[in-house]
Amino acid sequence: MRRNVSFPTAIHILTLLGYMGREYVSSAFIAQSVQTNPALVRRLLSKLVNEGLVETAHGKDGGARLSRTAASINLKDIYDAVQEQAILSVPVRDVYAPCPVSSNIKEVLQQIFDAEEAALRERLNQIKLSSVLEQIPAS
């Protein structure tokens, strides 16, 4: 099963931008910090810009930086910006009609997963990016 790393990677990116203050940070530097492909960083930055979490500037001294304070960004904002599907999802499979489990498991699991997703989003709404940033030691 392939893991979706967009959400934790986006938190890493925004924490780095918060750490760097008002300085613009290049996607190459961000990719080095995250230890990932610069194309993934640029894709995530685009989503974060679209949601108003990041601003970018072009040119020699360009890059990305937070568009607002870390204290005004919660993890739900980040999750909503980059998570394309719920973390818990029911796979699409054919139903074997004679079997009551096969005929009903998708709906049963979907109700459970929807409740868990709602709880996750509620918790993420309570956690500020600034609280993540505060746990990073100053160099």
Side-chain angles (χ1 to χ4, degrees):
M1 177 186 274
R2 200 172 135 230
R3 291 183 1 188
N4 184 328
V5 297
S6 296
F7 181 51
T9 302
I11 295 171
H12 184 141
I13 291 169
L14 291 175
T15 303
L16 175 64
L17 296 180
Y19 188 86
M20 300 299 287
R22 297 300 299 157
E23 179 182 336
Y24 283 102
V25 182
S26 73
S27 59
F29 183 86
I30 296 168
Q32 187 174 20
S33 174
V34 178
Q35 288 292 289
T36 194
N37 185 314
L40 172 64
V41 168
R42 288 189 294 273
R43 192 180 91 240
L44 290 174
L45 283 173
S46 176
K47 291 178 178 187
L48 296 168
V49 167
N50 288 340
E51 292 298 318
L53 302 174
V54 169
E55 60 188 27
T56 59
H58 299 287
K60 180 179 151 259
D61 295 324
R65 67 182 182 187
L66 293 181
S67 62
R68 53 190 215 227
T69 67
S72 70
I73 299 170
N74 61 50
L75 296 190
K76 182 183 168 292
D77 297 331
I78 304 166
Y79 183 83
D80 289 343
V82 302
Q83 193 66 34
E84 294 176 5
Q85 67 181 35
I87 290 176
L88 296 174
S89 60
V90 180
V92 177
R93 292 197 176 113
D94 291 335
V95 173
Y96 178 61
C99 177
V101 173
S102 181
S103 298
N104 293 286
I105 193 68
K106 181 177 179 181
E107 292 78 16
V108 171
L109 288 178
Q110 194 62 58
Q111 289 177 8
I112 294 168
F113 291 174
D114 288 349
E116 292 306 312
E117 180 78 10
L120 171 65
R121 294 169 67 78
E122 183 178 318
R123 177 67 180 121
L124 292 175
N125 195 46
Q126 298 169 8
I127 303 170
K128 300 292 183 186
L129 181 63
S130 57
S131 69
V132 175
L133 189 56
E134 288 167 0
Q135 295 179 58
I136 306 297
S139 59

